[in-house]
Amino acid sequence: MYGTIFRMKVKPGEQANVIALFKDRTNQGIDGAIAAYLMTPDNDPDGFVGVAVFKDKSAYMANANDPTQHKVFSKLRACLSEDPEWTDGEYV
């Protein structure tokens, strides 16, 4: 399995929009997607940590290069105070 763990700093008042965008995209039946989770860390109530799991790297990359994913990310980025921090790799 392959995927990413990411951290996001959310602009004040944008938390609900981030959650809605995440849920909407997650529910679209992305090819090769296994799971996606979003959490609010206890030590960072204005941030989110997310996890996305795909069957393999090629499925992950196909999603990353999908124009629909780019549109969703553009909407998401408008809700953030800075670019997300991504850590991609193989789940072991």
Side-chain angles (χ1 to χ4, degrees):
M1 293 182 295
Y2 192 89
T4 191
I5 298 171
F6 53 95
R7 293 184 178 277
M8 300 183 289
K9 292 285 187 185
V10 182
K11 291 178 183 175
E14 293 291 337
Q15 287 82 358
N17 290 331
V18 170
I19 292 167
L21 286 165
F22 187 83
K23 285 183 177 180
D24 184 54
R25 182 65 177 141
T26 302
N27 291 331
Q28 292 179 2
I30 301 166
D31 287 341
I34 295 173
Y37 302 99
L38 192 62
M39 67 172 280
T40 303
D42 288 342
N43 64 349
D44 187 9
D46 294 325
F48 286 113
V49 174
V51 176
V53 182
F54 287 79
K55 69 177 184 175
D56 54 30
K57 187 174 183 177
S58 64
Y60 174 79
M61 294 307 295
N63 180 65
N65 294 316
D66 183 339
T68 301
Q69 180 65 19
H70 178 72
K71 289 177 188 176
V72 172
F73 178 75
S74 295
K75 291 177 185 177
L76 174 68
R77 180 59 183 91
C79 299
L80 306 179
S81 59
E82 60 188 53
D83 286 338
E85 174 188 321
W86 306 96
T87 304
D88 298 347
E90 288 285 335
Y91 290 103
V92 295

